[in-house]
Amino acid sequence: MKHLKKSACKVILILGMLMSLPGWGADMILIPAGSFRMPALLDKTVHKVSAFYIDRNPVTNAEYLEFVKTHPEWRKSKVKKIFSDNNYLEYWQEDLNFGEASMASSPVVRISWYAARAYCDSLGKRLASIDEWEYVGLVPYKDKKDLKSVILEWYGKSAEWPLPAVRSGASNNDGVYDMHGLIWEWVEDFNSSMVTGESRADVALDRNLFCGGGAASAADPADYAAFMRYAFRSSLQAKYTVRNLGFRCVKNKE
Amino acid sequence: MKYSIVKKPLAVLAACLLAVVANAEEKIKGEEVAVLTDAPEVPPPITRKYPTKVIVNLETKEVKMRLADGVDYTFWTFGGKVPGKFIRIREGDHVQFHLHNHPSSKLPHNIDLHAVTGQGGGAEGSFTAPGHSSTFNFKALNPGLYVYHCATAPVGMHIANGMYGLILVEPKEGLPKVDREFYVMQSEFYTKGKYGAAGLQPFSMTKAVEEKPDYVVFNGNVGALVGDKAMKAKTGETVRLFVGNGGPNLVSSFHVIGEIFDKVYVEGGKLVNENVQTTLIPAGGSAIVDFKLQTTGTFILVDHSIFRAFNKGALGMIKVEGDADKEVYSGKTEDGIYLPEGGVIQEVGDGAPKLIPAKTIEESIVRGKRIFESSCFACHQANGQGVPGAFPPLAKSDFLNNNKDKAISAVVHGLEGKITVNGKEYNSIMPAQVLSDEEAANVLNYVYSAWGNSKKKVTPEEVKAIRASGKK
C-alpha cells in the first residue's frame, strides 16, 4: 500500500509539471504520409514520407530555458566543447537568463546540432530528416503568398535582431508556422546536403553516396530559393552555432 | 692545347651557373598583412623586389545601402561595400587568405579569385558559414588584374547582389609609375521595381535571367563617382584606372569622354594597346588604362552602350584642375550667325507657274502669313517680338510704322549697320529676301496687319518701284 502510494505521487507530480509548463511538448501538427519531388535534387526521384508529427513553430527561448533548468549540462557555462563552438547561446546574458523578456517568444538560436538533438530527445522527439522538412516546406501558405517570394523577401532583408516572435507570419495550409522567413533550422541529416564550396562541380558527385544538388541538373533550376537552403546546410558542421539557425522537433506517428 | 682543354670546362660551368641562377625560384622573404582599400582608392604600389607571404583578411557581410536616391538594396559584399576591397600582391607571393563571414549573415559565402590556380579559384577552400572563418593558401603565378567573386550556389545571385572585386598581381618589375591610380568597377543590378522605384528593392531573378538590368553602375550605386565623389586630378598628371566588370551579365564598352587611353592593358593582362578610344571589358574581366591629362575639364566615364550611361546610371567623373592648355583644346571661340547663300527661299526659275495676284487685302495677308512663317519667323519670332540685342522686333515697331519705303527696302535690298527700333540699338545683318514683288507685298501686308502695327497697305507696284530705285 505504501509502495503504491509513492508511485502514485510521482505520477501526479510529473503530470502536474507537464500541465503547468506552457508549450512544453505541446502543440504538434500531424502531417499525413505522402510523396514529393525534392526541389533541388540531382536524381529527380520521388521521395516518400511516412506520417509524422511536427512542432507547430520553432523552439523558443522560453522553452529552451526550461530545458536547461532540468538539463544543466546544456547550460551556456557548462556545455562541452565537443558539442558546441564558443558562440553557444552567445546572446543569453546568463545560464538561466536569455535577456529581454520580449525574447521569450523568439526562436532560440546559437544552438548546435548536438544541443538541438538533446532537447528533442528529452521530450521523446527527434529532429526532422531533410525529406520531412522539405516535404512540409513545400506546403503553400494560407495567405496565398507565393513561397518563393516569402523566402526571397527574407534573403533580401538585412539581418534583424532581436528576432521576431514565432508565429508572427502566416502559417502554411497545415497550420505550421515559420518554415520560411524567420530562421534556418537544424535537420537530423544536414550533412547529406552536398552543395560543396565549389558548387559548380557538384554534378560530378557520386550519386550513390550523396543526395547531391547542382544547378545544372536540378529538377527545378528556377527554384533557386531552395538552393540557398541547401548551400546553407552544406556550410555547417554539427558543433556550429549560427545566429540565424534554430530548430523544431518532430515525432513518429505510432 | 692543354690551356684550351682547361678553358672549356670553365665555360661550361659558367653556363650551368647562369642557367641555375636564371631558373632558380625566388625565395619567400618575411611576411606582411595586405593593405586593402575601398573603391575608388587603390593600395600603394609594391616596392619590394622579392616575393613574400601576404596575409589577406576579407569579411563578407550583408548590408542594406543606397542603390540610388530613394532606393535601398540589401547588398551582399566583400568588406561591406560594392565593389569589394582592392587587393594588391606581387607575382610569386604566397598568399594566406582568411575569409570571414559576419555572424549576422544569413548565407554562407566563398570566394573565387581569378588570380588563383586551383579548385574553384579558391571557392572550394573558402566556403564559410555565417559567424565562421576559412583559411586557404595560394601562390600568385600570373601577373595581371583579376576579378574575384562569390561562387556559392546560386552563383549568379551572389554576384548580382554585389559580391565582386579586383585583385592585382603586379609583375616582378612592377608597373610603370603614374601620378594617380583609381579603382573603378562596373556592374548591373536587377530589381523588382523599375529604375527609380523607391524603397527597399528586392532582387529580381526573372530580370537577371533575361539579362535586363534596371541599373548599370560604377562602384556599386548610381552617382558613386559623381559630384563631390568625383575622382580628382591635375593637368600634367598621369592617371591609371584599374577597371573591372562584375557583370553578372553585360560586357562594358568602357570610354572616358574627352580622353584617349594612351595605353590599355587589354583585359588586364600583358598585351598593351595604344591610343584607344573605347575598350571592351568582359563580365568577370578587367582592363588597366593609362592616360595623361593635358588640359582641364570634367571627363565623364561611361559605358558607351550609351543608354546605360544616361538612363541606368553608368556615369562617373574625373575632375581635372590646373592650367588649361588652349592649344590642346580651346573651347568655343565664336558663336556667329550662319547665312546660307541666297536666303531660305530659292527661286525655281522661269518654268514655275505664276501665282495669281491677290485681289483683296485679306487674301494678301493670308499669303503673307505663310511667307512670314517660312522666311522671317526664325529671326523675328512667331509674334514679331524679335530676339533682344540681336534681331529687332516687328511688333509695334516704330521703324516699320514710321517709313513704309524703308520697310520695303529692307525686304528687297537687305539691311545692315546700326538702326534704332523702339529706342533700342541693333547692329546686325538682314539679307535681301528672294521674293517676288507680289510676295514681298503680301508679307509686309501681313506684318502691318498684325501685333499692333499701323495696318498700312503695300502693293506689288510699290515694291517694284523701290526695287528699281535702290536701297532706301
Side-chain angles (χ1 to χ4, degrees):
Chain A
M1 187 56 157
K2 189 167 186 179
H3 176 73
L4 177 61
K5 202 167 184 182
K6 255 186 175 180
S7 295
C9 284
K10 192 172 180 182
V11 169
I12 289 166
L13 181 60
I14 290 169
L15 286 172
M17 284 181 64
L18 287 173
M19 289 168 61
S20 70
L21 298 173
W24 182 284
D27 213 355
M28 301 191 87
I29 304 291
L30 176 62
I31 305 295
S35 59
F36 72 107
R37 203 183 301 271
M38 197 76 79
L41 258 197
L42 184 67
D43 57 10
K44 303 180 175 66
T45 55
V46 171
H47 290 244
K48 289 177 183 166
V49 176
S50 303
F52 66 102
Y53 290 96
I54 190 167
D55 285 345
R56 192 186 285 271
N57 54 258
V59 174
T60 64
N61 284 299
E63 289 168 333
Y64 202 76
L65 176 60
E66 295 306 314
F67 168 68
V68 296
K69 282 178 180 175
T70 55
H71 295 77
E73 69 273 26
W74 289 104
R75 292 181 187 178
K76 182 173 173 173
S77 66
K78 289 188 164 62
V79 71
K80 289 181 165 54
K81 291 310 173 193
I82 195 170
F83 292 139
S84 168
D85 66 22
N86 291 336
N87 291 316
Y88 176 71
L89 293 177
E90 178 260 341
Y91 63 100
W92 281 35
Q93 290 173 21
E94 290 165 304
D95 278 353
L96 299 180
N97 179 6
F98 49 70
E100 300 291 327
S102 59
M103 291 183 66
S105 300
S106 296
V108 66
V109 290
R110 293 281 195 190
I111 295 290
S112 69
W113 177 81
Y114 296 106
R117 237 167 156 262
Y119 175 99
C120 294
D121 195 53
S122 75
L123 298 175
K125 303 179 186 177
R126 57 180 174 81
L127 288 172
S129 66
I130 289 178
D131 283 5
E132 286 166 335
W133 199 99
E134 293 293 327
Y135 180 55
V136 180
L138 286 173
V139 178
Y141 272 47
K142 279 185 176 172
D143 62 3
K144 306 294 180 189
K145 210 167 192 182
D146 173 60
L147 268 190
K148 232 171 262 182
S149 302
V150 174
I151 298 167
L152 294 172
E153 270 173 31
W154 185 56
Y155 294 159
K157 284 191 294 188
S158 297
E160 50 195 326
W161 191 264
L163 292 166
V166 298
R167 304 196 195 186
S168 299
S171 70
N172 70 12
N173 288 333
D174 287 342
V176 180
Y177 287 90
D178 307 318
M179 292 300 285
H180 309 292
L182 180 55
I183 51 172
W184 303 107
E185 291 180 20
W186 279 115
V187 288
E188 177 72 11
D189 50 343
F190 72 94
N191 55 357
S192 68
S193 184
M194 286 298 285
V195 172
T196 68
E198 174 50 315
S199 58
R200 299 155 297 184
D202 287 345
V203 291
L205 288 170
D206 189 326
R207 300 180 193 191
N208 295 323
L209 289 179
F210 304 106
C211 302
S217 302
D220 181 3
D223 193 351
Y224 54 106
F227 282 100
M228 314 290 280
R229 269 199 309 282
Y230 279 69
F232 181 81
R233 288 178 189 138
S234 297
S235 71
L236 299 174
Q237 289 178 26
K239 64 189 285 184
Y240 281 11
T241 65
V242 178
R243 193 196 286 188
N244 291 296
L245 174 61
F247 71 103
R248 74 180 78 209
C249 308
V250 299
K251 193 166 78 160
N252 294 342
K253 175 175 183 281
E254 263 112 36
Chain B
M1 184 59 139
K2 184 161 187 175
Y3 176 76
S4 172
I5 289 168
V6 169
K7 216 171 183 180
K8 269 189 176 180
L10 283 175
V12 170
L13 180 60
C16 289
L17 284 171
L18 283 173
V20 169
V21 169
N23 292 319
E25 198 172 284
E26 287 183 290
K27 288 188 177 177
I28 300 291
K29 294 187 206 169
E31 81 179 36
E32 63 184 51
V33 176
V35 175
L36 309 181
T37 57
D38 291 318
E41 305 304 318
V42 177
I46 292 169
T47 53
R48 58 187 158 80
K49 302 300 180 188
Y50 51 87
T52 192
K53 175 182 174 182
V54 179
I55 298 164
V56 176
N57 285 287
L58 193 57
E59 181 192 54
T60 60
K61 201 172 180 188
E62 298 158 16
V63 290
K64 186 175 81 164
M65 292 187 291
R66 172 193 171 279
L67 175 56
D69 286 345
V71 185
D72 286 331
Y73 193 84
T74 299
F75 296 86
W76 302 349
T77 72
F78 287 108
K81 294 211 176 116
V82 178
K85 306 280 193 179
F86 196 100
I87 305 169
R88 193 171 194 148
I89 58 177
R90 179 189 182 274
E91 180 184 2
D93 281 350
H94 279 218
V95 178
Q96 185 182 87
F97 205 105
H98 301 266
L99 190 72
H100 314 289
N101 194 352
H102 195 275
S104 67
S105 296
K106 292 192 182 104
L107 299 156
H109 296 295
N110 62 9
I111 188 166
D112 169 352
L113 301 122
H114 291 182
V116 170
T117 301
Q119 182 71 54
E124 177 271 339
S126 59
F127 189 41
T128 312
H132 282 258
S133 294
S134 298
T135 302
F136 67 99
N137 296 270
F138 69 90
K139 182 178 179 183
L141 299 176
N142 301 83
L145 180 67
Y146 300 98
V147 163
Y148 65 77
H149 61 85
C150 190
T152 302
V155 179
M157 187 173 178
H158 283 250
I159 296 175
N161 281 341
M163 297 195 83
Y164 36 78
L166 287 179
I167 177 169
L168 174 67
V169 182
E170 283 201 15
K172 287 173 183 172
E173 64 277 10
L175 291 170
K177 186 171 159 58
V178 293
D179 295 307
R180 291 180 196 265
E181 293 179 325
F182 296 105
Y183 171 20
V184 177
M185 197 150 194
Q186 177 173 329
S187 58
E188 315 105 57
F189 288 90
Y190 300 82
T191 53
K192 278 279 193 272
K194 291 177 187 171
Y195 181 95
L200 178 62
Q201 285 294 324
F203 170 72
S204 168
M205 179 61 95
T206 303
K207 291 179 181 176
V209 170
E210 292 175 356
E211 303 194 359
K212 294 176 177 173
D214 301 284
Y215 299 86
V216 184
V217 298
F218 292 119
N219 290 5
N221 64 87
V222 178
L225 291 171
V226 166
D228 291 341
K229 290 177 279 186
M231 297 175 281
K232 293 178 173 64
K234 292 173 184 157
T235 51
E237 290 184 329
T238 48
V239 169
R240 172 172 295 141
L241 303 180
F242 295 105
V243 192
N245 184 3
N249 287 329
L250 305 184
V251 173
S252 173
S253 303
F254 186 72
H255 177 87
V256 175
I257 298 175
E259 271 294 345
I260 295 135
F261 303 135
D262 298 326
K263 277 200 272 187
V264 171
Y265 296 77
V266 180
E267 296 186 26
K270 196 180 209 175
L271 178 67
V272 176
N273 198 1
E274 293 177 353
N275 302 327
V276 175
Q277 59 193 300
T278 300
T279 190
L280 283 187
I281 308 180
S286 69
I288 303 174
V289 302
D290 290 2
F291 49 94
K292 185 172 183 183
L293 302 168
Q294 282 102 347
T295 190
T296 56
T298 298
F299 297 91
I300 309 292
L301 283 66
V302 292
D303 179 337
H304 217 296
S305 298
I306 203 73
F307 286 94
R308 299 176 193 169
F310 296 107
N311 297 85
K312 297 194 172 187
L315 209 91
M317 286 178 181
I318 306 174
K319 287 188 176 176
V320 183
E321 293 177 345
D323 298 324
D325 186 333
K326 295 295 184 182
E327 192 172 325
V328 166
Y329 185 71
S330 66
K332 190 186 286 204
T333 56
E334 189 180 328
D335 188 344
I337 307 300
Y338 175 55
L339 296 172
E341 186 177 343
V344 294
I345 300 292
Q346 301 298 317
E347 190 146 38
V348 178
D350 293 336
K354 288 283 165 68
L355 285 174
I356 298 169
K359 290 187 168 58
T360 65
I361 188 64
E362 289 75 17
E363 192 171 350
S364 178
I365 289 168
V366 168
R367 294 184 185 185
K369 186 169 194 284
R370 282 202 298 272
I371 296 165
F372 182 87
E373 285 168 356
S374 64
S375 298
C376 317
F377 159 82
C379 295
H380 292 294
Q381 303 294 304
N383 295 306
Q385 70 267 38
V387 176
F391 305 118
L394 299 179
K396 296 187 176 72
S397 164
D398 56 7
F399 180 93
L400 191 72
N401 291 309
N402 286 348
N403 194 319
K404 186 164 76 164
D405 286 355
K406 279 197 174 187
I408 296 170
S409 175
V411 172
V412 301
H413 296 302
L415 185 65
E416 64 185 74
K418 293 180 183 178
I419 62 168
T420 304
V421 180
N422 295 348
K424 290 193 166 71
E425 187 176 281
Y426 297 85
N427 186 357
S428 195
I429 300 171
M430 174 166 171
Q433 301 298 302
V434 183
L435 300 171
S436 67
D437 296 342
E438 166 76 11
E439 288 166 334
N442 291 342
V443 72
L444 282 161
N445 282 325
Y446 167 69
V447 169
Y448 272 121
S449 76
W451 316 311
N453 286 324
S454 62
K455 300 193 196 308
K456 285 180 167 58
K457 290 187 169 73
V458 178
T459 67
E461 290 72 31
E462 287 174 309
V463 174
K464 185 174 183 178
I466 297 295
R467 195 189 297 276
S469 67
K471 207 167 219 175
K472 294 295 181 193

